[in-house]
Amino acid sequence: MSDNAPAKPFLDLVEATLAEMGRTKTWLSQRSNVSRATINNWAHQPRTPQSASVIAVAEALGIDQRRALRLAGLPSTGSAPETEAPDLSSMPLPALAERLHHLSEELDRVAAELARRPSV
């Protein structure tokens, strides 16, 4: 990986997920509305990508947004929560398992936070 391409780890995950799904970058570009050139540039682009592009690609592939942002070299805090349920029918099994794991961790974090609050 080049130090000049902060999004390369995310691109690696994107390419692996596409291979698991049997899909192409052209399909991903159409589904995410992010150009193929933009996606390909993540391999060598010295700047971090736009968070909206990373999130759009992550959503199209069923990749956790926070993980995607982190792998793309962007801050993962403060990303907007999802407002609608994702389409799980097209999500590859590894991505679905990761999403469920992430949700479980998030529930554990919220439960621990609620347990620390003083009773009223």
Side-chain angles (χ1 to χ4, degrees):
M1 176 179 65
S2 169
D3 289 336
N4 293 341
K8 180 71 167 82
F10 178 57
L11 178 62
D12 292 342
L13 177 60
V14 166
E15 290 174 337
T17 304
L18 284 170
E20 287 175 14
M21 296 173 71
R23 299 289 187 168
T24 65
K25 286 182 186 172
T26 300
W27 172 88
L28 177 60
S29 176
Q30 292 168 347
R31 183 162 172 123
S32 66
N33 291 320
V34 176
S35 76
R36 237 183 120 203
T38 295
I39 295 167
N40 285 329
N41 284 341
W42 293 341
H44 53 83
Q45 182 81 19
R47 297 184 322 257
T48 54
Q50 293 182 352
S51 59
S53 296
V54 171
I55 289 171
V57 167
E59 286 179 352
L61 295 174
I63 296 170
D64 175 69
Q65 289 181 12
R66 288 186 201 133
R67 180 178 183 209
L69 290 168
R70 186 180 72 247
L71 288 174
L74 294 161
S76 60
T77 57
S79 62
E82 291 185 23
T83 56
E84 61 183 60
D87 177 14
L88 301 180
S89 65
S90 63
M91 190 178 291
L93 191 55
L96 181 58
E98 180 180 333
R99 184 175 196 83
L100 290 173
H101 177 74
H102 169 73
L103 289 172
S104 175
E105 287 178 339
E106 185 69 13
L107 285 172
D108 289 345
R109 185 192 64 74
V110 170
E113 183 178 317
L114 290 172
R116 286 192 300 268
R117 290 185 181 176
S119 299
V120 177

